[in-house]
Amino acid sequence: MDFNELQSAWNNENPQNVKLPSDLEKINSAQMPLERIKKNLKNEFIYQIISIVFLAFLPFIYGFPAYAYAPFYLLFSIFVGICIYYLVKLYLFYRQLGKTTLSTKDSLYETYYEIRVNMELYKTFGFALTPFVILFLMGLLYLKMPDFFQSGLQDHSLLIAILSIVLFSMLFTGIVLEWWVQYFYGKYAREMRKVIDQLKEE
């Protein structure tokens, strides 16, 4: 962007002649979607922390027997480790967005690119947690229907149930993640992309 034009207009004796270049106005129009993304990221981070704390009490909520506590909290500790890894990355991205100023085409394009990368990171985060959901559902099924597990080992109904849970969980996770990311981040990223495309056309 040529800021000399802006400066010369500003220095003009007649203040009515001062006009912001259309590029600058378009770039500033991307600020609102960026603010929405930052707000959603902040809320997401808070909700994720609350969810992790809630999950820590699942054995008490579902009345797990004492022998199930150790395997549950072993898996839960791995789950928390994965969550911390991704949440730190998302938090650092949120901090980076807080320092972002959309003042040039390059800064707008770079910010858009970072948003797209972190949208994919968010999906990866969701899929990384899917095995824990599957293991929890299987453990819950075992605790609530132990007879089914014992008989299922003999007539292969257990294998069918496991495959059904895995397939359903993967499909459900994929659909929910895609919708979630597009609804809370994708539509705002598309608004920014429209601004970038408009700037390219000039």
Side-chain angles (χ1 to χ4, degrees):
M1 168 174 287
D2 186 8
F3 284 99
N4 292 328
E5 183 183 339
L6 177 62
Q7 186 176 4
S8 62
W10 186 262
N11 291 332
N12 195 319
E13 291 183 1
N14 186 357
Q16 293 178 353
N17 291 336
V18 176
K19 241 184 199 181
L20 286 175
S22 61
D23 281 7
L24 186 58
E25 291 173 2
K26 286 177 182 174
I27 291 171
N28 285 337
S29 71
Q31 194 66 42
M32 190 280 291
L34 181 63
E35 290 301 321
R36 292 295 304 169
I37 289 173
K38 286 195 287 188
K39 182 180 178 182
N40 288 343
L41 266 174
K42 181 180 179 181
N43 291 338
E44 188 84 35
F45 192 78
I46 293 169
Y47 295 148
Q48 293 284 356
I49 298 296
I50 292 172
S51 298
I52 291 171
V53 172
F54 171 77
L55 290 174
F57 293 98
L58 280 182
F60 304 101
I61 295 170
Y62 283 99
F64 284 17
Y67 67 83
Y69 280 31
F72 173 83
Y73 283 110
L74 175 63
L75 285 173
F76 181 72
S77 62
I78 299 170
F79 169 83
V80 171
I82 292 172
C83 287
I84 288 172
Y85 173 78
Y86 282 101
L87 289 176
V88 165
K89 282 188 169 291
L90 289 174
Y91 177 73
L92 292 174
F93 174 59
Y94 171 76
R95 291 284 303 272
Q96 179 184 337
L97 286 183
K99 298 174 183 176
T100 300
T101 54
L102 300 180
S103 56
T104 64
K105 292 179 186 178
D106 289 341
S107 65
L108 176 58
Y109 187 78
E110 184 181 340
T111 302
Y112 170 77
Y113 175 76
E114 289 296 327
I115 289 169
R116 297 297 304 183
V117 167
N118 279 276
M119 283 169 61
E120 294 305 314
L121 177 69
Y122 189 93
K123 292 179 188 177
T124 306
F125 176 38
F127 277 112
L129 300 182
T130 304
F132 296 96
V133 174
I134 294 170
L135 289 171
F136 172 74
L137 291 174
M138 300 229 354
L140 193 60
L141 190 64
Y142 173 76
L143 291 173
K144 298 298 180 183
M145 297 187 293
D147 294 338
F148 172 76
F149 264 76
Q150 291 173 3
S151 62
L153 289 172
Q154 300 171 357
D155 62 9
H156 302 293
S157 58
L158 178 62
L159 182 60
I160 294 170
I162 291 171
L163 285 174
S164 300
I165 290 172
V166 169
L167 289 174
F168 174 77
S169 299
M170 294 297 289
L171 180 63
F172 181 75
T173 301
I175 292 171
V176 170
L177 275 174
E178 190 63 36
W179 174 84
W180 188 274
V181 170
Q182 292 305 320
Y183 182 79
F184 286 99
Y185 305 103
K187 61 183 178 181
Y188 302 115
R190 285 192 296 273
E191 287 180 29
M192 295 178 72
R193 182 70 206 189
K194 284 179 186 176
V195 175
I196 292 171
D197 292 339
Q198 288 171 3
L199 292 170
K200 283 182 179 178
E201 290 170 3
E202 294 181 353

